[in-house]
Amino acid sequence: MDESGTQQPEAEDEPDNEALAEAYNRGLALQKAGDLKGAEAAFREALAIDPDDIGGVSIRLAAIGAEVSPEKMPDAYVATLFDQHADVFDEILVDELGYCVPLLVRDQIQRLGTGPFERLLDLGCGTGLTGMALQDCTSHRTGVDLSERIVELAFDREVYDDLYVGEAVEFLQEFEEEDGSRPRWDLIAATDVFPYLGAVEPFLTGAASRLEPKGYLAFSTETLPDEVLGGRRYMVGPKNRFAQGEAYIRSALDAAGFEILAMDPITVRLEEGEPVPGHLVMARLR
């Protein structure tokens, strides 16, 4: 999804909703006008009204350099963002932004000669684009997404055997079957998750604990030039999404017990017609 547009809270019955929307949109206008100090003040006002941060104000503060990048995007923001855009999700992502990462994963699997896979866990499954792309090389598919509305649309596609509403890292850390068992998968995919995470260590540790021995992890990242990252492992980029450095991803995978089979430079999507660089990674538990 494109996080650069105006987003207003939906809960109009909340007493602070009007003040929150006013402060947030004032911040957007000041940011667009180049008044970053004024934008910072307005965004901090909005964050004080709404500590749950459904508007992603903390991300905008990081994007304008007013705060260090948080370790992840606020769950309330991500859920609200995708709930609001669910009905036009595929049109925006595929038609407008040129997103084709699920098909790139399928091509990478074929090129590496991995699979077929018995059990796929698709984290941040969205409406099911990755599940559809990997349908012919997986037998059982589980999808997880933070947006309840998005999960409903994925259910309608009838591509997943199991679907859950949940945050990716929490699912990896906490999910249990009804009998108390902790299921494992032989392929975990996360095709548009890392731009919402920032710090990747909790995700990678959780994924390692949920994979079968020698299991595979496929994911995409967005990145920025080294001179922009300035030695940082990750940062919020100008389009309000996280970018991770290649060296950081490599070291974090190694520390979590993975070997990298492929780390291919890709265009993840388009932003205002310009390609967004990133990597498509296939890793295997050692």
Side-chain angles (χ1 to χ4, degrees):
M1 301 302 301
D2 182 1
E3 287 78 34
S4 61
T6 300
Q7 179 177 332
Q8 298 182 12
E10 287 189 309
E12 295 182 354
D13 56 340
E14 292 186 6
D16 292 331
N17 184 72
E18 185 175 347
L20 173 59
E22 191 281 328
Y24 184 88
N25 290 327
R26 175 161 35 92
L28 288 178
L30 290 168
Q31 181 183 355
K32 186 176 181 180
D35 182 359
L36 299 187
K37 286 294 185 183
E40 177 185 350
F43 286 146
R44 291 194 186 282
E45 181 181 335
L47 193 58
I49 296 170
D50 173 36
D52 287 339
D53 199 10
I54 65 172
V57 174
S58 59
I59 299 300
R60 291 193 173 276
L61 285 169
I64 65 174
E67 287 284 354
V68 297
S69 296
E71 291 192 351
K72 59 177 291 189
M73 291 194 186
D75 289 349
Y77 167 58
V78 178
T80 301
L81 176 72
F82 283 92
D83 280 346
Q84 289 182 344
H85 291 89
D87 291 334
V88 290
F89 179 83
D90 287 359
E91 178 183 341
I92 292 175
L93 201 60
V94 177
D95 297 340
E96 295 183 16
L97 302 182
Y99 177 80
C100 62
V101 174
L103 296 177
L104 296 179
V105 172
R106 183 69 180 89
D107 291 344
Q108 192 178 67
I109 288 172
Q110 289 180 323
R111 178 168 54 83
L112 293 172
T114 57
F117 303 97
E118 179 64 29
R119 287 168 55 80
L120 163 69
L121 173 61
D122 183 7
L123 295 169
C125 66
T127 59
L129 297 176
T130 298
M132 293 172 64
L134 303 184
Q135 192 167 10
D136 65 344
C137 64
T138 56
S139 299
H140 184 284
R141 290 168 294 279
T142 300
V144 180
D145 201 280
L146 194 55
S147 164
E148 184 173 355
R149 178 60 184 142
I150 285 284
V151 168
E152 291 174 355
L153 296 175
F155 177 83
D156 292 340
R157 277 205 156 119
E158 300 182 347
V159 71
Y160 296 101
D161 299 275
D162 298 305
L163 274 167
Y164 300 95
V165 176
E167 193 272 336
V169 175
E170 289 181 3
F171 185 91
L172 291 168
Q173 293 173 341
E174 301 175 7
F175 179 73
E176 296 180 349
E177 300 283 12
E178 291 184 0
D179 61 3
S181 63
R182 291 173 57 84
R184 291 176 179 264
W185 290 266
D186 53 349
L187 172 62
I188 295 177
T191 49
D192 193 33
V193 173
F194 281 41
Y196 298 89
L197 286 183
V200 303
E201 290 88 351
F203 178 95
L204 294 177
T205 300
S209 72
R210 290 296 186 155
L211 283 169
E212 297 285 0
K214 302 293 184 180
Y216 293 83
L217 173 64
F219 63 91
S220 61
T221 69
E222 295 181 11
T223 193
L224 288 167
D226 289 341
E227 58 268 25
V228 177
L229 285 167
R232 288 168 286 196
R233 299 174 301 162
Y234 60 86
M235 64 176 289
V236 177
K239 299 301 182 182
N240 307 303
R241 289 163 62 87
F242 282 105
Q244 288 101 5
E246 178 179 348
Y248 170 49
I249 294 296
R250 288 184 178 277
S251 64
L253 281 166
D254 182 64
F258 288 94
E259 61 174 324
I260 298 173
L261 303 181
M263 191 168 187
D264 302 329
I266 61 169
T267 294
V268 181
R269 53 198 262 155
L270 302 176
E271 289 281 3
E272 298 176 355
E274 295 296 321
V276 175
H279 290 96
L280 183 65
V281 181
M282 179 68 74
R284 180 173 59 199
L285 271 181
R286 287 196 292 264

